[in-house]
Amino acid sequence: MSENNHTPNRYTITAALPYTNGPIHIGHLAGVYVPADIYARYLRLTGKEVAFVCGSDEHGVAISMKAKKEDVTPKEIIDKYHTIIKKSFQDFGITFDNYSRTSADVHHETASEFFKKLYEQSDFIEETTAQLYDEEAKQFLADRFVIGTCPKCGHEEAYGDQCENCGSSLNATDLINPKSTITGSTPTTKETKHWFLPLDRYEGFLREWILEGHKNDWKPNVYGQCKSWIDGGLEPRAVTRDLDWGIPVPVEGGEGKVLYVWFDAPIGYISSTKEWAEREGKDWEPYWKDENTKLVHFIGKDNIVFHCIIFPAILKSHGGYILPENVPANEFLNLEGNKLSTSKNWAVWLHEYLEEFPDMQDVLRYTLTANAPETKDNDFTWKDFQARNNNELVAILGNFINRVVVLTNKYYEGVVPAPSNFTELDRETLDTLKKYPEIISTSLERYRFREAAQEFMNLARLGNKYLADEEPWKVIKQDEERVKTIMYVALQIAAGLAVLSEPFLPFTSSKLKEILAVGSSAEETSWNDVSTKETLLTAEHKINQSQLLFRKIEDSEIQKQLDKLEAAKKANENENKVVTPQKDTITFDDFTKLDMRVGTIIEAEKMPKTKKLLVLKVDTGIDTRTIVSGIAESFKAEDIIGKKVTVLVNLAPRPLRGVESQGMILMTENKEGKLVFVNPDEDGVGNGEGIN
């Protein structure tokens, strides 16, 4: 059924459970958590009943791999990152009603109950299959413990469950030339028993529910991926695996096996809702079992299949549960032109951002929303972050609010003036203000968060233009009564912005409400007030002094972040750098033929019409000679005069660009890839000394 066919009594909003094998980065925020929080905040402001749930995904191979890498237990890993993730979400203003974890008892019980119910209904098929096995590690290789060539696109680093290059879902046994990521060895195959969910049995249901029922209201990228899967023919998918970390398979024969993480993780939404309901004294069931509840999953595109095909098949099989009415998955966010990578540290980590840009949560929220990857992959750049802040938040929104508040305090000691005669422009401006809640709502209800944020900023632009056109700072000299009306209108826009900013800029909204001395709770200032109330700030209401909403971000701050990324890139290059193999063995007599001396550069100049060559005069202790060296891209000529160097003096002379080079200076590379001198700069070492 299309989501537009009824008005829900309540909303259950889920955000993808983050893996506790690392912190949260901007890709997670842009793809899932910022849009989900905007939507939840908006619904609450409009008076809707909302359960916004999430939690840490603490099972699966990613956790086991991280634990092996750091030589600690999986529990140590999940406890560490659960704490970091939960705190960073709280500090960033993500308003989950409950943030749980899949290691919680309530989740183990709920996931086990789901498995047993489907097992007892004979909804699984049991098969003995050949799985990849690492003979050295003495264990079966779950998807992320094996890497190989993707059979569909040829990518050489595909995992056993998915190719991150082409997005294809794989089985580990599909990989060409598989290798164990534990030992590096080539795995063998070994038989093992597992339970499978026969997705092919649900093909008719999924075709009718998605391809016919949601053709017009699901995002094209989501609908298209679902259609491709269904049209390609669905196959049984394992719901158990051979691992020692996870929820134990709760039936006979399940010893040594756990529930596959894709089976237990989405059930985490239900267990998180149960946890919340118990704490709040509510009944959890209507949020998952009442047809008048609207269920919306916020996820990234790599989770579409699990949330649109597999989880609904599980819910359908169990019976009694509602299905998602929408799954507004986003595409991926790149960083400075490259794909985000946690393993390569090519990321902007949320907890680090909060430390380095204190009290600037809304700047990142706004930038990620304005540049959200809603229909295609998008790129985050620090320069765009700076521009969004300086040119929009500071120059448009902050500038308007500051002028209104400063002038109100200057002219009227902070008291809202009573208007007199409204001009046509005044009435038109106030009428336009009243339209904005519906304009922004229309975008939000269609999950167009970029569009909604720009419409919000257009209201600030309206206010700026109104003040610029009316020029109260000039009119005050001739017509004080007129200025009262101008400031009254401007203050109504400011009050409207205080309410409508909350989903996008919650910290700014709180500051603005404090400045305007208006209610900060949803009961006192609702979304609909902006449209329905005749006046948002009544005459004689007293506002407070202005305070800075946004500050300008300097170039030096941005350069610091770019340098940080560049350092991460260099570190990765060095980690993956291949050391030059040893050359052919030489005899001691061959070595003694080399005459290496300490010398000093006494002159240096750039060779004309070349990028790489410097012409050097070097005092070798036995003579002064000319040496041409290809070091111009690493050194300026004037910086190396007086530098002690190691010189191979008995190398046969060689003409380079018309200059005879009489020797060679020994160089190497540092970890940044820059040339450095093999350095004889020790006290008491004189020119001409031999190197033995």
Side-chain angles (χ1 to χ4, degrees):
M1 168 170 72
S2 173
E3 67 175 304
N4 299 319
N5 289 349
H6 71 284
T7 301
N9 291 344
R10 69 191 66 78
Y11 291 76
T12 301
I13 303 168
T14 74
L17 308 187
Y19 258 144
T20 44
N21 66 332
I24 294 295
H25 60 57
I26 56 169
H28 303 130
L29 294 173
V32 178
Y33 305 108
V34 170
D37 190 61
I38 290 171
Y39 189 63
R41 285 176 177 272
Y42 156 70
L43 290 173
R44 294 188 194 110
L45 276 171
T46 57
K48 302 297 192 299
E49 187 180 340
V50 173
F52 180 23
V53 296
C54 189
S56 293
D57 186 352
E58 299 179 323
H59 300 136
V61 181
I63 312 298
S64 301
M65 290 181 74
K66 187 79 171 178
K68 281 183 182 292
K69 185 177 180 180
E70 297 189 10
D71 195 27
V72 295
T73 65
K75 188 174 188 315
E76 288 176 284
I77 292 291
I78 64 172
D79 287 347
K80 173 185 174 181
Y81 288 111
H82 172 74
T83 302
I84 292 172
I85 291 169
K86 186 175 182 179
K87 184 177 188 307
S88 61
F89 277 145
Q90 288 172 340
D91 293 346
F92 195 58
I94 304 297
T95 54
F96 297 125
D97 289 299
N98 196 57
Y99 188 81
S100 188
R101 53 193 307 188
T102 59
S103 61
D105 289 345
V106 65
H107 177 67
H108 277 239
E109 292 162 7
T110 304
S112 296
E113 185 274 327
F114 258 82
F115 185 90
K116 284 189 282 190
K117 179 106 174 357
L118 270 60
Y119 176 82
E120 289 163 2
Q121 292 174 173
S122 300
D123 288 331
F124 295 137
I125 55 177
E126 190 178 308
E127 285 186 11
T128 298
T129 60
Q131 299 287 321
L132 296 184
Y133 186 81
D134 188 325
E135 295 286 356
E136 289 183 40
K138 302 297 181 195
Q139 72 173 70
F140 285 97
L141 295 176
D143 45 33
R144 295 276 157 160
F145 280 126
V146 63
I147 199 168
T149 301
C150 174
K152 299 189 179 179
C153 74
H155 180 56
E156 293 183 354
E157 294 185 355
Y159 289 110
D161 62 340
Q162 187 177 41
C163 174
E164 294 189 351
N165 184 58
C166 68
S168 297
S169 181
L170 303 170
N171 290 313
T173 50
D174 296 335
L175 294 175
I176 302 165
N177 299 323
K179 288 280 186 293
S180 166
T181 61
I182 302 171
T183 64
S185 63
T186 300
T188 59
T189 56
K190 190 173 180 179
E191 288 194 340
T192 182
K193 180 180 75 173
H194 283 292
W195 287 270
F196 291 75
L197 182 67
L199 289 175
D200 47 309
R201 293 182 190 171
Y202 303 91
E203 200 169 295
F205 146 67
L206 291 167
R207 188 175 293 278
E208 180 182 355
W209 174 57
I210 299 174
L211 301 191
E212 296 175 20
H214 288 292
K215 188 172 186 176
N216 299 318
D217 61 331
W218 280 17
K219 292 171 69 172
N221 61 323
V222 178
Y223 183 86
Q225 194 175 132
C226 292
K227 188 175 189 306
S228 175
W229 262 68
I230 294 168
D231 287 348
L234 299 176
E235 298 177 357
R237 194 172 179 101
V239 296
T240 59
R241 62 191 336 192
D242 296 289
L243 267 183
D244 57 2
W245 178 250
I247 298 176
V249 173
V251 297
E252 188 178 340
E255 298 77 15
K257 303 178 191 297
V258 298
L259 302 186
Y260 213 133
V261 70
W262 65 256
F263 180 87
D264 93 77
I267 296 170
Y269 302 137
I270 300 171
S271 56
S272 184
T273 309
K274 286 182 177 180
E275 194 174 69
W276 165 74
E278 184 175 355
R279 185 181 69 240
E280 299 297 321
K282 292 177 177 283
D283 181 4
W284 72 271
E285 292 200 0
Y287 291 88
W288 282 94
K289 297 185 175 184
D290 188 334
E291 287 296 334
N292 289 317
T293 297
K294 181 173 177 176
L295 173 61
V296 182
H297 295 312
F298 283 88
I299 58 168
K301 69 177 177 181
D302 53 338
N303 265 322
I304 290 173
V305 169
F306 299 110
H307 287 74
C308 297
I309 291 179
I310 298 172
F311 188 42
I314 294 170
L315 294 175
K316 180 76 172 175
S317 180
H318 186 286
Y321 282 84
I322 58 172
L323 300 174
E325 292 200 29
N326 215 311
V327 187
N330 276 341
E331 300 293 295
F332 289 152
L333 186 73
N334 297 322
L335 173 59
E336 298 289 351
N338 292 308
K339 185 176 178 180
L340 279 156
S341 172
T342 56
S343 60
K344 295 178 180 177
N345 200 26
W346 189 257
V348 177
W349 303 104
L350 176 56
H351 66 294
E352 291 183 0
Y353 173 88
L354 292 168
E355 291 172 4
E356 293 167 7
F357 291 91
D359 301 319
M360 295 180 69
Q361 297 95 326
D362 284 351
V363 181
L364 185 57
R365 286 178 69 111
Y366 181 75
T367 302
L368 294 178
T369 304
N371 199 29
E374 292 179 348
T375 55
K376 62 181 179 62
D377 290 359
N378 263 6
D379 196 37
F380 175 93
T381 70
W382 279 109
K383 289 290 186 186
D384 180 63
F385 169 81
Q386 182 186 29
R388 295 281 184 190
N389 179 79
N390 294 354
N391 302 341
E392 295 179 34
L393 294 176
V394 173
I396 299 172
L397 178 57
N399 179 56
F400 171 68
I401 296 299
N402 187 60
R403 288 202 289 183
V404 172
V405 176
V406 167
L407 291 177
T408 302
N409 277 285
K410 180 179 178 181
Y411 298 157
Y412 313 113
E413 296 184 338
V415 176
V416 177
S420 48
N421 296 319
F422 289 113
T423 65
E424 185 178 340
L425 178 62
D426 297 337
R427 281 191 287 269
E428 185 181 303
T429 301
L430 290 171
D431 286 345
T432 303
L433 167 62
K434 290 179 183 297
K435 293 175 183 176
Y436 266 93
E438 185 179 351
I439 291 170
I440 297 172
S441 291
T442 300
S443 297
L444 292 176
E445 296 282 3
R446 299 170 73 185
Y447 313 104
R448 294 181 176 179
F449 300 100
R450 289 173 63 169
E451 184 178 271
Q454 284 310 304
E455 291 294 357
F456 163 76
M457 193 56 71
N458 285 340
L459 177 55
R461 289 187 176 97
L462 174 75
N464 261 330
K465 186 175 187 307
Y466 176 77
L467 279 185
D469 289 346
E470 295 303 298
E471 299 182 309
W473 46 88
K474 289 184 180 179
V475 177
I476 192 76
K477 298 169 186 175
Q478 294 90 32
D479 190 347
E480 291 187 9
E481 282 303 308
R482 173 63 191 145
V483 173
K484 289 180 181 178
T485 304
I486 294 171
M487 294 312 301
Y488 173 87
V489 172
L491 282 160
Q492 303 312 306
I493 297 173
L497 288 167
V499 177
L500 301 182
S501 62
E502 186 179 327
F504 312 101
L505 309 168
F507 295 90
T508 305
S509 175
S510 294
K511 282 185 190 175
L512 188 45
K513 288 171 183 175
E514 184 182 325
I515 293 168
L516 298 176
V518 295
S520 59
S521 69
E523 290 78 15
E524 292 169 315
T525 52
S526 77
W527 188 268
N528 296 327
D529 286 345
V530 182
S531 294
T532 58
K533 276 192 173 181
E534 190 63 35
T535 303
L536 296 174
L537 284 181
T538 58
E540 302 304 317
H541 174 84
K542 190 165 190 321
I543 68 170
N544 295 312
Q545 294 291 321
S546 182
Q547 58 176 289
L548 191 68
L549 293 182
F550 307 100
R551 68 165 180 84
K552 186 181 178 186
I553 295 174
E554 302 297 337
D555 291 346
S556 59
E557 297 176 82
I558 298 304
Q559 190 57 52
K560 183 180 177 183
Q561 296 301 322
L562 293 172
D563 291 345
K564 189 174 170 182
L565 287 173
E566 189 60 31
K569 184 183 286 187
K570 289 292 184 186
N572 281 310
E573 289 173 359
N574 291 326
E575 192 174 314
N576 299 320
K577 189 173 182 179
V578 178
V579 178
T580 305
Q582 177 184 302
K583 295 181 180 179
D584 293 341
T585 302
I586 62 172
T587 66
F588 183 75
D589 288 342
D590 291 331
F591 173 72
T592 59
K593 292 176 184 177
L594 300 175
D595 190 353
M596 291 180 285
R597 307 280 181 119
V598 176
T600 300
I601 299 171
I602 55 177
E603 292 180 22
E605 63 179 2
K606 191 104 184 296
M607 179 175 276
K609 299 181 180 179
T610 69
K611 289 183 178 180
K612 294 184 177 181
L613 300 180
L614 290 182
V615 181
L616 312 175
K617 281 281 193 299
V618 181
D619 178 358
T620 67
I622 51 176
D623 57 18
T624 298
R625 62 178 66 188
T626 299
I627 297 176
V628 180
S629 184
I631 61 174
E633 291 182 321
S634 295
F635 301 96
K636 292 180 180 178
E638 60 269 24
D639 291 343
I640 60 173
I641 294 172
K643 183 78 177 172
K644 280 193 180 300
V645 292
T646 303
V647 187
L648 180 61
V649 295
N650 65 336
L651 184 66
R654 180 183 174 203
L656 290 169
R657 296 288 185 109
V659 177
E660 186 174 77
S661 181
Q662 301 169 310
M664 178 179 287
I665 294 175
L666 272 60
M667 310 293 296
T668 187
E669 287 185 354
N670 65 12
K671 62 182 181 180
E672 282 82 37
K674 182 186 174 186
L675 289 174
V676 292
F677 294 104
V678 176
N679 199 336
D681 276 348
E682 284 290 327
D683 290 341
V685 178
N687 292 344
E689 295 288 349
I691 297 174
N692 303 311

